[in-house]
Amino acid sequence: MANEENESISIIKTPEEMLKASEEFYQYMSLRRSCRQFSMDPIPDDVIENVIRTAGTAPSGANKQPWLFCVVKNRELKHKIRKAAEAEEKKNYEERFNANLKHDLEPLKTDPVKKFLDIAPILIIVFKEKYTKIGDKIYPNYYVGESASIAVGFLMTALHNAGLATLCYTPSPMDFLNDLLDRPKSESPIAILPVGYPGKDYSCPKLPRKPLEEIIKYYV
Ligand SMILES: Cc1cc2nc3c(=O)[nH]c(=O)nc-3n(C[C@H](O)[C@H](O)[C@H](O)COP(=O)(O)O)c2cc1C
């Protein structure tokens, strides 16, 4: 029961309404695709703030909310990020990626060139906060990777819902982002999300999704 310290959870749907809502949401989410080519058209700041507010509603270990969303619009900074990411990607594709990974990446037709880091009007760079340091004192966070990754899922869902395209881009290693964005050692970048409208005529590779029977197992 709600009182001054508690809040109630409002479940407002009948089973019929749930079925309709879940079907419609599935249909809409099934249209989400990773976008690797963007137009330069700007995105309203209010939209970006709303999707980041949504990401901030994610659950987190002991409610530590161990995440930070850096919104990069500055062209020179985007370009520096591209150059640093491409330097790592060149080594990845030429030296670090093994045959299995190269084989698995083949259908995606990706390469070390990451033009979208220059072109997308906004890059959202997500950091996980491993711990919080106040003065000399260190306060731990819990399930940091899990919590921040769930927040990225919320963020990508909110972007799709807003009608924007994105990509969960993870150059590896990506600690160059700490230097470029002046973030402390307590934080680690987990993804770069270029955000915008898909480029004119952009089409992404057709990829199969596992059918329900392969991803569900009942215990009744
Ligand atoms: C954790 C994670 C890391 C990813 N890293 C990259 C990446 O570095 N580069 C890239 O082009 N796509 C990356 N992707 C996107 C996947 O390739 C993509 O989600 C997958 O191929 C399925 O395609 P879809 O998102 O269009 O359904 C990543 C996705 C996830 C979830």
Side-chain angles (χ1 to χ4, degrees), residues 16-219:
E16 294 74 27
E17 288 168 335
M18 276 183 214
L19 185 60
K20 185 169 181 296
S22 60
E23 270 171 9
E24 286 173 358
F25 191 64
Y26 160 62
Q27 291 298 343
Y28 190 66
M29 287 307 294
S30 71
L31 302 176
R32 183 213 55 79
R33 293 302 316 275
S34 291
C35 180
R36 297 180 179 85
Q37 195 187 310
F38 293 82
S39 88
M40 294 175 90
D41 296 338
I43 307 298
D45 285 341
D46 291 353
V47 174
I48 293 303
E49 289 182 8
N50 281 336
V51 295
I52 291 176
R53 277 194 186 96
T54 304
T57 67
S60 62
N63 193 32
K64 288 290 188 170
Q65 303 170 51
W67 44 62
L68 180 76
F69 303 91
C70 295
V71 179
V72 178
K73 298 168 78 173
N74 180 283
R75 288 168 71 118
E76 285 90 62
L77 185 52
K78 283 195 297 173
H79 191 62
K80 283 184 187 166
I81 292 169
R82 175 181 175 183
K83 287 288 139 195
E86 286 183 340
E88 294 298 346
E89 295 286 23
K90 194 167 180 304
K91 286 188 208 151
N92 286 338
Y93 280 82
E94 287 175 5
E95 300 162 27
R96 297 178 185 140
F97 285 172
N98 63 28
N100 278 341
L101 180 51
K102 281 185 184 157
H103 173 264
D104 287 339
L105 288 176
E106 208 349 81
L108 306 183
K109 306 285 174 224
T110 53
D111 61 32
V113 180
K114 304 297 171 186
K115 212 171 164 189
F116 55 76
L117 295 173
D118 267 331
I119 305 291
I122 288 178
L123 305 179
I124 301 178
I125 295 159
V126 186
F127 285 82
K128 63 178 181 185
E129 294 179 338
K130 292 176 282 184
Y131 55 89
T132 309
K133 195 167 179 226
I134 303 175
D136 282 344
K137 244 186 144 219
I138 285 179
Y139 299 89
N141 291 330
Y142 312 99
Y143 294 105
V144 168
E146 293 86 343
S147 303
S149 301
I150 292 171
V152 171
F154 276 38
L155 179 59
M156 294 182 76
T157 305
L159 286 165
H160 180 63
N161 178 60
L164 288 167
T166 192
L167 167 71
C168 180
Y169 174 51
T170 52
S172 177
M174 57 176 143
D175 44 359
F176 62 84
L177 290 163
N178 282 74
D179 294 336
L180 290 176
L181 301 177
D182 198 21
R183 300 312 308 161
K185 277 196 174 65
S186 55
E187 298 173 7
S188 283
I190 61 167
I192 302 176
L193 274 70
V195 174
Y197 302 99
K200 199 171 165 291
D201 302 329
Y202 174 65
S203 59
C204 46
K206 279 197 178 135
L207 298 174
R209 285 187 170 132
K210 291 182 182 175
L212 183 66
E213 310 77 70
E214 263 184 52
I215 62 168
I216 194 168
K217 186 159 175 59
Y218 279 111
Y219 296 83

